[in-house]
Amino acid sequence: MATYILGISAFYHDSAAALLRDGEIIAAAQEERFTRKKHDHSFPRNAVDYCLAEAGISPVEIDYVAFYDKPLTKFDRLVQTYATYAPKGFQSFMQAIPIWLRTKLHLPSVMDRALGGQYKGRYLFTEHHESHAASAFFPSPFEEAAIMTLDGVGEWSTTSLGHGKNNRINLLQEIRFPHSLGLLYSAFTYYTGFRVNSGEYKVMGLAPYGKPRFRDLIVDHLIDIKEDGSFWMDMSYFNYCQGMTMTSDKFHRLFGSPPRRSESEISQREMDLAASVQVVCEEVMLKCASHLHKSTGSKNLVMAGGVALNCVGNGRILREGPFENVWIQPASGDAGGALGAAQIVHHHVLSEPRVVQNEADSMSGSYLGPAFGQEDIDEILKRENAVYQSFANDEELVDALVPLLEKENVVGWFQGRMEFGPRALGGRSILGDARSEKLQKVMNLKIKFRESFRPFAPSILAGKAHDYFEIPENADSPYMLIVAPVLESHREPGATNTMAGLEGLNKLNVKRSVVPAITHVDFSARVQTIHEETNPRYHRLLTKFYDKTASPVLVNTSFNIRGEPIVCTPEDAYRCFMGTDMDVLVLENTILLKSDQPKENIPDRKDYQSQFALD
């Protein structure tokens, strides 16, 4: 009889479910993809149902259910924090406590109801950073590795350093709340006018437009960083312990103004603030990595937690840090905690051995979500009276698609299983020709409906990555979690000097490389390497594009608009295609051209955008 372990994360940021069968990852998905509510933190009923359906089992067949943190410990931190700052924070306290009393302190009952009363086994609760650490080490391709997890806060921990070997992880050191690198970064996310827990990557994308002129102000007043990467923060500058905001009046006086209003114009000052906090974040990450290397003596590093999604910092650790090999969990945020919790049960509770095969990870390319058959797609398209063409095989499909990409068409690409984690990795992607000079602006403003400064990532054939980017020879980046410089040989002559004389968004108008659509203003790119083993159809498309154009690079951005989760179903994909200026839609072996579609199927754009809250 197989052993099934269901992992769950819920009630904080990205709720998710993951299912193991005899230790193998069968399925994993975030709740937001099913409910269409971005960062949905409610109990992941739909994600649980999907995982069970993928395995072909009912709740009665589950052996263990694991939750990704310990609510009672987190509740203790909440109460102690409010008591420390009382009477300040009373409003925040009164908002938080009823939610805890109603749901979070009664999780077994909540989970019982979600599983229809059919589950008869034990509920197990792992520590938050233990879940992150497990999600980083157990699926990694290493027999042993140093472990680094950084995020906002779990129960008490905000940073954990440890070591994993065989089927055991051991957390050695921690930094505790309220001192948090993740919350420092979120404070600047709030201060620069973006939404906390969803806008941090905007700050990272904005940073290259600025200069880190506030770096010394941050390290002199806000955070004291030690040589081993440990740090202490002056909480008088922050308000997240006791208030409804991230920063205090003292913070605002230090930097000379109140926070930027959301949706107002972004100035050079915000760009400089973003550059400054990004530099500080990288300093802490590098020092933590160096200390961890000395402590463990390992040549391998694995990472998870929300800060591990800072791919600029990850790139610096890979290029400048002491580790030979770095592996990062693709679902590094709270969603990945569901997977880590299940793996803790498998390896620590049940003492099951861990097998690393051929130096490959066990994430299956992070393609762990639902897939849809061609028959389902045909039925949906006929219902919509859509005009489409089907192809007999992948070769015919890519032969028809490559000329459309060459003509600078924007392509919605929907195939195979949906990705687990925040990145589109070639399952639910929007694609374009990276050589196009106009594509970044077109895709940002007319497809994604988002800020023009946002960079796009390249997908590149794994064997060609080192021909375009400064990546160590033994390194790989299948999960789009490493930023690397574009090689000097591919940069436009004179672009460096031209850029040096410009400020802010004016840099966008300069052609920077032979692949301008994916080259950020600091000549970097968030690289995704594509392997035939994990995504054969996408690999075939890139190979055919390379054969015809001599360019092995495509733009790859997530298949959604601003404020919307990445599409999950063919219906989601068709609706997004029709509601934007996308030119082409691929649904498995089917191609649709926007120009062929019935005009009555095109929604009012404002109505379509208004379905999703801006983030």
Side-chain angles (χ1 to χ4, degrees):
M1 292 285 290
T3 299
Y4 289 96
I5 304 171
L6 178 68
I8 293 172
S9 64
F11 300 130
Y12 181 62
H13 188 221
D14 280 331
S15 294
L19 185 68
L20 306 184
R21 180 175 59 210
D22 291 335
E24 179 187 359
I25 307 169
I26 298 299
Q30 294 115 290
E31 184 70 2
E32 66 166 18
R33 307 294 170 85
F34 303 96
T35 63
R36 313 309 300 153
K37 298 176 183 177
K38 195 165 186 178
H39 302 306
D40 193 339
H41 61 272
S42 60
F43 189 85
R45 296 172 185 271
N46 296 284
V48 167
D49 289 345
Y50 154 68
C51 288
L52 299 184
E54 187 68 32
I57 65 171
S58 67
V60 74
E61 296 171 82
I62 303 171
D63 295 282
Y64 299 91
V65 174
F67 194 76
Y68 82 129
D69 69 7
K70 295 191 173 183
L72 286 175
T73 308
K74 187 174 283 189
F75 184 71
D76 175 65
R77 189 253 300 168
L78 186 74
V79 172
Q80 284 196 45
T81 301
Y82 283 130
T84 299
Y85 286 89
K88 294 180 179 179
F90 181 73
Q91 181 183 359
S92 175
F93 179 80
M94 290 304 294
Q95 284 192 11
I97 292 303
I99 298 172
W100 278 88
L101 295 177
R102 191 166 57 247
T103 57
K104 299 179 184 181
L105 293 183
H106 301 283
L107 265 175
S109 298
V110 173
M111 291 190 280
D112 272 341
R113 289 194 297 271
L115 295 170
Q118 297 182 57
Y119 174 65
K120 304 302 180 184
R122 296 169 57 195
Y123 292 111
L124 302 172
F125 296 85
T126 62
E127 291 185 355
H128 186 96
H129 272 254
E130 185 182 34
S131 298
H132 278 320
S135 77
F137 176 64
F138 290 134
S140 79
F142 311 132
E143 293 284 356
E144 67 83 30
I147 304 170
M148 184 164 76
T149 68
L150 309 96
D151 65 2
V153 61
E155 295 88 1
W156 282 101
S157 295
T158 66
T159 300
S160 290
L161 305 179
H163 184 253
K165 186 174 182 180
N166 298 327
N167 68 339
R168 283 287 184 272
I169 60 171
N170 182 23
L171 298 183
L172 306 170
Q173 294 174 276
E174 68 173 4
I175 297 172
R176 289 165 66 92
F177 182 85
H179 310 289
S180 165
L181 185 61
L183 292 176
L184 173 72
Y185 208 93
S186 292
F188 278 86
T189 301
Y190 167 81
Y191 188 64
T192 51
F194 301 112
R195 183 175 293 182
V196 172
N197 287 331
S198 65
E200 282 77 5
Y201 56 92
K202 297 183 184 182
V203 175
M204 185 176 65
L206 191 63
Y209 293 92
K211 297 177 180 177
R213 61 187 178 94
F214 297 106
R215 182 263 174 200
D216 290 349
L217 207 59
I218 293 172
V219 298
D220 288 345
H221 294 272
L222 303 187
I223 181 169
D224 179 22
I225 307 169
K226 304 301 183 185
E227 277 307 306
D228 63 357
S230 61
F231 54 86
W232 175 90
M233 291 163 57
D234 185 340
M235 298 313 300
S236 66
Y237 289 96
F238 302 93
N239 196 42
Y240 56 77
C241 287
Q242 72 275 23
M244 306 295 290
T245 62
M246 293 298 297
T247 54
S248 70
D249 289 341
K250 188 175 180 181
F251 186 106
H252 307 159
R253 289 193 299 272
L254 180 67
F255 292 100
S257 73
R260 180 183 77 92
R261 285 183 293 107
S262 177
E263 304 301 315
S264 65
E265 184 179 353
I266 298 172
S267 70
Q268 186 63 47
R269 181 171 174 276
E270 278 76 47
M271 299 174 195
D272 293 344
L273 285 163
S276 302
V277 74
Q278 177 63 35
V279 163
V280 172
C281 181
E282 292 168 23
E283 287 180 24
V284 175
M285 292 175 74
L286 282 165
K287 286 183 176 181
C288 281
S290 179
H291 170 70
L292 187 55
H293 181 260
K294 293 174 184 176
S295 301
T296 63
S298 178
K299 67 178 183 179
N300 306 312
L301 173 67
V302 297
M303 298 170 61
V307 177
L309 294 172
N310 192 305
C311 44
V312 179
N314 298 343
R316 286 195 63 187
I317 289 174
L318 181 64
R319 293 189 304 276
E320 303 172 32
F323 292 96
E324 294 180 25
N325 307 297
V326 177
W327 189 86
I328 305 154
Q329 166 57 238
S332 276
D334 280 0
L339 175 60
Q343 291 174 314
I344 284 288
V345 173
H346 182 71
H347 293 298
H348 282 205
V349 177
L350 303 182
S351 297
E352 292 291 342
R354 174 174 173 263
V355 178
V356 179
Q357 297 180 347
N358 301 321
E359 292 297 308
D361 70 43
S362 60
M363 289 295 296
S364 301
S366 213
Y367 305 113
L368 297 168
F372 297 84
Q374 193 62 50
E375 288 185 7
D376 297 327
I377 290 168
D378 289 341
E379 181 182 336
I380 291 161
L381 294 179
K382 287 175 182 176
R383 189 169 65 235
E384 296 286 349
N385 294 316
V387 179
Y388 60 97
Q389 182 179 2
S390 296
F391 296 84
N393 53 53
D394 290 352
E395 197 62 38
E396 290 183 11
L397 177 79
V398 300
D399 282 346
L401 189 57
V402 165
L404 295 172
L405 286 163
E406 283 188 274
K407 294 176 182 176
E408 297 184 284
N409 286 292
V410 178
V411 176
W413 175 258
F414 181 106
Q415 58 95 36
R417 295 182 72 174
M418 182 179 71
E419 302 91 338
F420 180 50
R423 308 292 186 217
L425 302 171
R428 305 290 186 270
S429 293
I430 298 174
L431 308 178
D433 187 347
R435 300 171 301 164
S436 171
E437 294 184 47
K438 69 177 185 179
L439 214 58
Q440 182 188 10
K441 286 186 178 180
V442 169
M443 291 178 77
N444 267 329
L445 300 177
K446 294 189 175 183
I447 310 296
K448 304 284 282 186
F449 307 130
R450 69 185 196 182
E451 303 91 344
S452 62
F453 69 81
R454 302 273 294 280
F456 287 106
S459 288
I460 186 168
L461 293 168
K464 298 294 180 182
H466 301 95
D467 295 338
Y468 276 76
F469 304 103
E470 291 181 21
I471 298 177
E473 281 298 324
N474 64 332
D476 195 18
S477 182
Y479 300 124
M480 206 183 283
L481 286 171
I482 298 292
V483 163
V486 174
L487 289 174
E488 193 75 39
S489 58
H490 291 300
R491 298 182 189 182
E492 282 292 308
T496 301
N497 292 334
T498 302
M499 299 278 282
L502 299 173
E503 284 196 351
L505 299 185
N506 292 324
K507 295 177 180 180
L508 274 174
N509 300 319
V510 178
K511 184 180 180 182
R512 298 176 286 281
S513 78
V514 298
V515 280
I518 59 87
T519 305
H520 205 7
V521 295
D522 60 350
F523 300 97
S524 70
R526 192 177 74 224
V527 181
Q528 182 201 9
T529 49
I530 303 300
H531 298 260
E532 185 175 13
E533 299 79 11
T534 51
N535 197 333
R537 180 181 286 165
Y538 194 27
H539 188 273
R540 187 171 286 117
L541 174 63
L542 277 160
T543 301
K544 177 64 70 171
F545 189 78
Y546 175 60
D547 290 343
K548 289 207 63 179
T549 67
S551 174
V553 188
L554 287 174
V555 175
N556 176 10
T557 189
S558 56
F559 198 153
N560 64 308
I561 67 166
R562 182 185 181 194
E564 177 193 26
I566 294 174
V567 299
C568 176
T569 67
E571 292 99 327
D572 298 336
Y574 185 74
R575 187 178 71 252
C576 187
F577 169 63
M578 295 303 294
T580 67
D581 283 343
M582 250 181 280
D583 304 297
V584 181
L585 175 62
V586 177
L587 297 172
E588 294 295 343
N589 285 337
T590 299
I591 292 181
L592 298 85
L593 303 180
K594 175 66 69 60
S595 57
D596 292 343
Q597 302 312 304
K599 287 189 170 42
E600 60 268 21
N601 285 6
I602 300 175
D604 180 272
R605 181 160 296 172
K606 289 183 179 179
D607 288 345
Y608 177 63
Q609 292 181 62
S610 70
Q611 296 176 45
F612 307 103
L614 294 179
D615 63 332

